[in-house]
Structure formats: C-alpha cells, structure tokens
C-alpha cells in the first residue's frame, strides 16, 4: 500500500493530537498515563520546534541576502519593497478594523466586571511600555552586531543585516560573485534540510497539539466564551474570507489552490503558535508549492514573519475594547483611532514567538489609559487564541508573497 502524502500525514497528526489531548483532558493531569503521555509529547514537540529553529537563522540569512541580490540585479528592488510594505499595512489595517467593528457590535465583556478577575490581577505585575519607549527599543533592536544577532536567533536583526549585505553584494557586482554563489548554495542546502525536518512534522504537530489541548484550563473558558467567540470568529473571517478574496481578486488563484499549497505551514503555525519557528515551512510552501520566485519569497516571507501580523493586530484591538468594557470605560472615536494605530504598531513590533502579542498589548492599553494589569485576565486563554492568530499571521505572509509577485509582474 502506498504511504499517504506528507500533507495527509500532517492533517492526520493534527487530528490525532487534538483527539488524544481531549482524551487526556477527561482523564485529568494526575493520571499516570497522562503524565507519561505529556512527558513524551513534550519531548517530541520540543524536538520538532528545536529542529525548525536550528535551520531558521541560516535560512533567513541566506534567503534574504540572495533574494535582495537577485532583485537588485533586475532593478526591481524598489517596487517589491513598496508593494510589500503597502500590502502588509493594508491587510493589517483591515484586520484591526474588523476587530474594532466586531467588538463594538457584540460588546464582549460588557456583562462582566473587572472585580471578578481580582485574583488573577493581584499577583500580576505588568511591565510599563509607553509608545515612545517601545519605538526607541524597537529601533534600537534593528541594528545589531550580525554575529550576536545570528548567535542569539534575533530574526529581525538578521533580516536587516542580510538586507544590507544583499545590497552590498549587488553594488559590488562581479567582484563578489563567489560569496553570492556561496549564499545561493547555502540557501539550497538549508531548504534541503527543511525537507528532512518536515518528515518529522506529523509527529511534532501531534505532540504539540496533545500537550496544548490536554493542559487547557477549561474553567476560565466559560466566562470568556463571548470574547473568545468574537476573536476567533473575526480572525477566521479575515483568514477564510478577506485574505482569500484579496488573493483571488489580485492573482486569480482560488482558495482551494492556496490551501493545498499552504496547509503544511498553516498547520505548523497552528501547532507551534510561532511565526518564526514556522518560517522554514512557510518558505518551503511559498517557493515549492505555491511557486513564488525564490527572490520574492526570500524577501517577503521572512520580513512578513517578523512584521506582518494580521491576527495579532486584530487581537490587540479586540482585547483593548474587551478590557475597556470590563472596566466600564466607553472609548470614543478618537480613542478608538488611537487603538487602531497602536494595535498595528504593536503587531509589527511583536516578535513571531508564542504569546508575543500579550507583551506588546500593554502599549495599546496604556495608549488609551486602560489598566495594563488587565492583561492578566487574558493570559489563561492566550495560548489557545494564539494558535489561530498565528495561523492567520503566517497565511498573510504567503498571500503577500503571491500578491507581490503578481503586482511586480515577475
Ligand atoms: N504568536 C504570534 C506569532 O508568532 C505572535 C502573537 O503572539 O500574536 O505570529
């Protein structure tokens, strides 16, 4: 009998993970089978993420430098830059608007009071993060000693250095053709290794989902049900309707075609809750399954993984309104506009790691005078919501690479 394709195996792995996780949930964490199972799934899940992270930095470094070098050679650098940034900003703005609109309409949190959450807030010290300081920190983090950035896995700083190196390689021309060739071969090699890591993906994804589902604190879910439904519903609306519609209108590609090519990355994003850890898989899907030219994907996808976060932007805005409802403050139009912009900035500034959005959310809350401690209320449900927003974040990067490729006509 022929073995099922990797895509099918990944889907089966995800399904298996959710079912076993639910079963473990019914047995309770004290059960010895569950303890053993959680230990084993912890090991396998972490191993999968470690392998992705191992290849992440060399891949980002080579793909950006080679991508930029090739684009400059075709004098298309400028158009790709501008189209990419406009697309990122446009789709994030739609996402935030959706989040604000749905929260105003459904008013999640209006029947609840912040006093009900006194326990979780009490032991929580929120770090202050005013906008100017956040901006200064962000700017400061862009330029780093490249070796330190490579060694510590700082994706954004690696992206920036690789960008500059790519430009220098082309400006230098023929002289540096050996280094460019070396980076090109490096890119091919890293993609080959990504292919090997993917063989483990069905197991890694199953393990991550077992752990996630089995360790959810279901008690909180009831109180937060309305808020969660609004967030999940709007995020899905963005991922299932808005982004596919944009893709169809601009490139003529159907949602089914996109799903077939993108599902490896979408499911990995769901299970890992990390755009960065998923990045090697996203690159593979974009270049090998969705047929985006490596120089476009090599630029748009890594940049998107660190900057373009539709799901996070939507969540930051919806959560701010939820907390405003809890504390009984009605945000007026100007305040909502402030939320609109800070949510976008917060999403751009959030690194692609699990729960990163929670950290930058402090800034959104503070911008309109909401209590930063209130994010303690969101922490118990964050891991669950992070799955879907990360999936949409990664989807936005792949849709972006297809749209940019079409618009710059390559
Ligand atoms: N986990 C998200 C990501 O990696 C970021 C966030 O927390 O919203 O894309």
């Amino acid at each position: 009998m022929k073995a099922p394709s990797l895509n099918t195996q990944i889907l089966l792995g995800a399904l298996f993970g959710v079912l076993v996780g639910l079963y473990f949930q019914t047995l309770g964490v004290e059960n010895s089978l569950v303890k053993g199972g959680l230990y084993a799934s912890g090991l396998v899940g972490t191993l999968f993420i470690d392998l992705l992270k191992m290849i992440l930095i060399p891949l980002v470094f080579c793909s950006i430098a080679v991508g930029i070098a090739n684009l400059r050679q075709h004098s298309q650098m400028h158009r790709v830059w501008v189209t990419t940034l406009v697309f990122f900003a446009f789709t994030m703005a739609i996402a935030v608007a959706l989040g604000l609109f749905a929260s105003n309409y459904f008013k999640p949190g209006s029947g609840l009071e912040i006093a009900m959450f006194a326990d979780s807030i009490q032991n929580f010290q929120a770090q202050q993060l005013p906008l100017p300081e956040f901006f200064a920190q962000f700017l400061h983090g862009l330029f780093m000693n490249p070796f330190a950035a490579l060694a510590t896995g700082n994706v954004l700083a690696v992206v920036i250095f690789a960008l500059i190196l790519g430009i220098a390689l082309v400006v230098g021309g023929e002289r540096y053709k050996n280094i460019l060739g070396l980076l090109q071969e490096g890119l091919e090699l890293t993609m080959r290794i990504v292919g090997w890591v993917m063989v483990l993906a069905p197991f890694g994804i199953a393990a991550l989902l077992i752990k996630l589902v089995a360790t959810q604190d279901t008690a909180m879910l009831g109180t937060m049900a309305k808020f969660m439904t609004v967030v999940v519903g709007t995020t899905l609306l963005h991922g299932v309707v808005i982004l596919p519609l944009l893709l169809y209108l601009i490139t003529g590609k159907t949602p089914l075609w996109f799903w077939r090519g993108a599902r490896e990355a979408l499911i990995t994003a769901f299970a890992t809750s990390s755009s960065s850890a998923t990045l090697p898989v996203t690159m593979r899907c974009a270049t090998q399954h969705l047929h985006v030219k490596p120089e476009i994907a090599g630029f748009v996808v890594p940049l998107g993984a660190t900057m373009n976060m539709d799901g996070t932007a939507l969540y930051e805005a919806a959560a701010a309104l939820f907390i405003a409802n809890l504390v009984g403050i009605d945000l007026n139009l100007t305040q909502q506009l402030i939320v609109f912009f800070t949510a976008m900035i917060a999403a751009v500034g959030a690194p692609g790691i699990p729960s990163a959005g929670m950290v930058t959310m402090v800034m959104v809350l503070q911008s309109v005078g909401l209590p930063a401690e209130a994010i303690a209320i969101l922490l118990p449900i964050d891991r669950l919501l992070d799955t879907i927003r990360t999936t949409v974040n990664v989807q936005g990067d792949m849709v972006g690479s297809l749209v940019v490729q079409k618009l710059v006509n390559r």
Side-chain angles (χ1 to χ4, degrees):
M1 200 181 80
K2 218 174 117 223
S5 72
L6 184 62
N7 274 318
T8 314
Q9 289 178 31
I10 288 177
L11 267 179
L12 289 176
L15 196 67
F16 177 78
V18 172
L19 291 178
V20 174
L22 286 173
Y23 177 59
F24 281 4
Q25 177 74 251
T26 58
L27 295 179
V29 276
E30 290 310 315
N31 182 294
S32 54
L33 171 73
V34 175
K35 275 189 184 151
L38 285 182
Y39 175 72
S41 47
L43 280 185
V44 178
T46 312
L47 181 72
F48 177 55
I49 293 195
D50 285 345
L51 285 169
L52 287 173
K53 282 193 185 156
M54 173 187 82
I55 203 65
L56 169 68
I57 292 292
L59 172 64
V60 169
F61 182 71
C62 296
S63 72
I64 292 242
V66 171
I68 297 293
N70 286 340
L71 287 175
R72 288 259 326 192
Q73 259 162 7
H74 298 96
S75 349
Q76 280 195 311
M77 190 55 224
H78 183 65
R79 286 193 67 185
V80 173
W81 246 130
V82 174
T83 320
T84 304
L85 294 185
V86 169
F87 179 82
F88 286 175
F90 179 64
T91 47
M92 275 197 283
I94 298 181
V96 178
L98 270 179
L100 286 176
F101 184 76
S103 303
N104 276 303
Y105 190 77
F106 294 106
K107 299 207 182 320
S110 53
L112 308 171
E113 275 172 34
I114 193 139
M116 294 161 69
F117 303 95
D119 281 353
S120 34
I121 295 183
Q122 210 169 32
N123 305 319
F124 185 78
Q125 279 287 322
Q127 270 210 338
Q128 300 296 309
L129 196 66
L131 184 59
E133 201 174 300
F134 172 79
F135 182 67
Q137 262 183 29
F138 180 72
L139 205 66
H140 180 62
L142 291 182
F143 305 99
M144 263 178 86
N145 166 356
F147 297 101
L150 290 166
T152 52
N154 184 328
V155 184
L156 192 57
V158 171
V159 167
I160 301 289
F161 180 76
L163 253 162
I164 298 172
L165 184 72
I167 296 174
L169 278 175
V170 186
V171 174
E174 270 301 284
R175 265 178 97 144
Y176 303 119
K177 67 174 194 307
N178 292 336
I179 295 192
L180 183 57
L182 185 74
L183 287 169
Q184 239 145 8
E185 287 178 15
L187 179 59
E188 282 166 27
L189 277 175
T190 47
M191 286 312 287
R192 191 178 285 264
I193 298 174
V194 173
W196 294 341
V197 175
M198 285 315 284
V199 176
L200 267 184
F203 305 98
I205 285 168
L208 287 166
L209 289 175
I210 290 176
K211 194 149 187 216
L212 172 71
V213 176
T215 53
Q216 273 316 304
D217 174 8
T218 41
M220 274 306 277
L221 302 186
T223 342
M224 307 291 271
K226 189 170 174 193
F227 171 63
M228 292 179 74
T229 313
V230 170
V231 171
V232 171
T234 354
T235 313
L236 285 179
L237 181 69
H238 190 75
V240 177
V241 180
I242 306 284
L243 286 177
L245 190 68
L246 275 176
L247 181 68
Y248 182 71
L249 291 178
I250 299 175
T251 67
K253 301 288 186 200
T254 64
L256 192 65
W257 176 87
F258 178 76
W259 162 249
R260 288 211 176 107
R263 59 191 160 179
E264 273 179 12
L266 297 177
I267 297 173
T268 308
F270 186 88
T272 59
S273 281
S274 167
S275 306
S276 292
T278 311
L279 183 51
V281 191
T282 321
M283 278 290 288
R284 176 180 139 101
C285 287
T287 51
Q288 293 176 10
H289 305 332
L290 300 171
H291 310 296
V292 181
K293 296 232 162 57
E295 56 266 37
I296 303 267
F299 172 74
V300 180
V301 173
L303 201 67
T306 53
M307 287 180 64
N308 179 40
M309 300 198 178
D310 296 3
T312 303
L314 188 156
Y315 181 62
E316 307 247 356
L321 260 65
F322 171 69
I323 288 170
N325 280 337
L326 276 186
V327 291
I329 296 178
D330 237 347
L331 296 181
N332 61 28
L333 194 65
T334 321
Q335 286 170 314
Q336 296 217 12
L337 269 178
I338 296 178
V339 171
F340 182 92
F341 287 112
T342 45
M344 275 179 63
I345 297 171
V348 171
I353 55 175
S355 289
M358 293 303 279
V359 180
T360 55
M361 189 178 309
V362 176
M363 180 182 77
V364 184
L365 299 181
Q366 285 176 342
S367 70
V368 285
L370 293 169
E373 294 72 31
I375 61 167
I377 300 168
L378 303 172
L379 283 178
I381 53 165
D382 189 58
R383 186 60 185 82
L384 215 51
L385 294 178
D386 204 358
T387 53
I388 294 176
R389 66 174 191 261
T390 308
T391 309
V392 172
N393 289 347
V394 168
Q395 181 192 2
D397 302 337
M398 285 185 282
V399 171
S401 64
L402 285 161
V403 166
V404 171
Q405 167 156 276
K406 176 77 187 177
L407 293 181
V408 298
N409 246 336
R410 284 176 61 79

